[in-house]
């Protein structure tokens, strides 16, 4: 069987290595430049590849194509493959064919990385033989080569879900759906929601779908009548029929044979959105048979990924928080809502068509200074200029931190939570967050 792989990043190279290990005739093609680390992996495995171009003739001679998630369906090579009837699948779909392990799959517009990492942490700490993969930045296909795990916790983006057909989750988690990446879905929110709902595809009676029943878009998109698995809705608002609820600091799970009452008061995660994330992760842990006391220990020891409401330091009673991953308005809402102290808010970058009105009340209540960090700050200034007492602008992360230090008083929080993409001043959100951390260390901590 001939397999063509489009894209030579983490997922594409992982799929290529798995294909080679299974004896397939595999070829890798990337329109961009391939990173040296991935070239080395391909060369070591003697896998032929090309970069900077797609050789259509060779690619379209394949029996099947594995497409990296960043490549849209409207790409010329994908359109031609579709016209010729060549199946186009995702790396996750491909990997699922070569393991009997069960998958715990997590998606949502916001919070999926935190929930994936927390779920993995709770299960691993409980002694379950579990691996971590997917959109988190680790190839499921490459891990399946050794196939050491009974379970995999897999973070899935909508782009990965789009090209999954036979793949099935044993436990699927859907955290929320808010407008994002709509350019890939014809600016149709219903199509984006349908993509997210694929997390529950192919489920049968022994499988579980954990979903946020407070989310109107999920409720409208989910066809519960035709669903083949067991539904486990979770709610902060006491929604009727919810099986996972928060009562104070306690997460209560009421699923037959899997009841639990977990004290989450010692968790470092803050904000309402992280209550949802915690409910979902706790529900998974209970379905996997983890005891309440083990979950509580896991919540206490969990450290979230960088750039997600990450406390950098506390200096002179001022807390500096890196939330660079907050690249949309909804993520910033969660940050502002979760922080109880007065805020010096650093925001800005490449606007994604944001509607800032949903932040108006929180900004009026909590934000004492807005530092606009970007090349074009007009939209931010227009939205908050009459609401926030002090608004300054800059293209320098160092200046933004200096303003935070200068204008803060004990008890304040200096929060980088941009609501925008980073590409005007930085390579990506990680680069922006790292630069913020370095500026805080230099300017605040004098390192």
């Amino acid at each position: 069987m001939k397999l063509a792989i489009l894209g030579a990043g983490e997922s594409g190279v992982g799929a290529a290595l798995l294909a080679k290990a299974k004896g397939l005739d595999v070829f890798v093609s990337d329109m961009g430049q391939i990173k040296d680390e991935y070239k080395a992996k391909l060369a070591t495995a003697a896998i032929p590849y090309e970069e900077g171009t797609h050789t259509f003739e060779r690619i379209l001679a394949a029996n099947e194509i594995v497409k990296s998630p960043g490549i849209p369906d409207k790409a010329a090579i994908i359109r031609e493959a579709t016209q010729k009837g060549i199946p186009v699948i995702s790396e996750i779909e491909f990997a699922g064919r070569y393991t009997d392990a069960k998958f715990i799959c997590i998606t949502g517009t916001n919070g999926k990385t935190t929930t994936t990492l927390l779920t993995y942490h709770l299960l691993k700490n409980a002694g379950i033989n579990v691996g971590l993969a997917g959109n988190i930045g680790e190839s499921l296909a490459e891990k399946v080569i050794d196939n050491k795990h009974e379970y995999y916790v897999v973070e899935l983006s909508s782009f990965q879900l789009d090209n999954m057909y036979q793949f099935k989750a044993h436990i699927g988690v859907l955290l929320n759906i808010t407008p994002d990446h709509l350019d890939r879905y014809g600016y149709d929110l219903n199509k984006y929601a349908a993509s997210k709902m694929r997390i529950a595809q192919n489920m049968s009676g022994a499988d579980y779908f954990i979903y946020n029943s407070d989310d109107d878009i999920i409720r409208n998109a989910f066809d519960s009548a035709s669903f083949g698995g067991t539904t486990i809705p979770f709610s902060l608002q006491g929604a009727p029929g919810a099986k996972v609820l928060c009562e104070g600091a306690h997460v209560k799970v009421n699923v037959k044979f899997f009841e639990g009452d977990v004290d989450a008061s010692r968790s470092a995660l803050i904000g309402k959105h992280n209550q949802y994330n915690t409910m979902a992760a706790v529900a998974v842990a209970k379905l996997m048979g983890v005891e309440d006391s083990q979950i509580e220990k896991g919540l206490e020891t969990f450290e979230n990924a960088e750039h997600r409401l990450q406390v950098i330091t506390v200096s002179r009673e001022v807390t500096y928080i890196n939330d660079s991953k907050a690249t949309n308005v909804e993520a910033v809402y969660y940050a502002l809502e979760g922080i109880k102290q007065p805020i010096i808010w650093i925001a800005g970058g490449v606007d994604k068509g944001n509607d800032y009105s949903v932040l108006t009340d929180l900004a009026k209540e909590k934000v004492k200074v807005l530092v606009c960090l970007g090349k074009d700050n007009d939209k931010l200034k227009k939205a908050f200029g009459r609401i926030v007492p002090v608004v300054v602008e800059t293209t320098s992360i160092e200046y933004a931190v200096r303003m935070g230090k200068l204008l803060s008083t004990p008890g304040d929080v200096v929060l980088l939570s941009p609501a925008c993409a980073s590409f005007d001043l930085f390579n990506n959100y990680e680069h922006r967050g790292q630069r913020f951390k370095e500026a805080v260390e230099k300017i605040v901590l004098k390192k």
Side-chain angles (χ1 to χ4, degrees), residues 422-441:
S422 57
F423 306 124
D424 58 340
L425 299 174
F426 308 96
N427 298 334
N428 47 45
Y429 77 82
E430 293 100 333
H431 182 219
R432 176 171 56 194
Q434 183 60 33
R435 288 288 310 281
F436 176 71
K437 180 181 178 182
E438 291 168 356
V440 169
E441 290 175 346

Side-chain angles (χ1 to χ4, degrees), residues 155-176:
E155 178 187 334
L156 293 175
S157 69
S158 59
F159 300 162
Q160 289 168 316
L161 287 161
D162 285 337
N163 293 102
M164 290 164 54
Y165 305 101
Q166 302 304 315
F167 183 94
K168 182 187 79 165
H170 171 51
I171 300 174
V173 177
L174 179 53
L175 298 165
N176 47 63

Side-chain angles (χ1 to χ4, degrees), residues 350-368:
V350 179
D351 185 87
K352 299 165 73 175
N354 292 341
D355 176 6
Y356 292 112
S357 63
V358 297
L359 302 177
T360 299
D361 290 343
L362 283 171
K364 188 181 298 184
E365 175 190 351
K366 297 186 177 184
V367 178
K368 57 189 285 187

Side-chain angles (χ1 to χ4, degrees), residues 200 203-209 226-231:
M203 284 186 169
S204 59
D207 304 315
Y208 300 92
F209 178 43
S226 62
F227 179 65
T230 300
T231 57

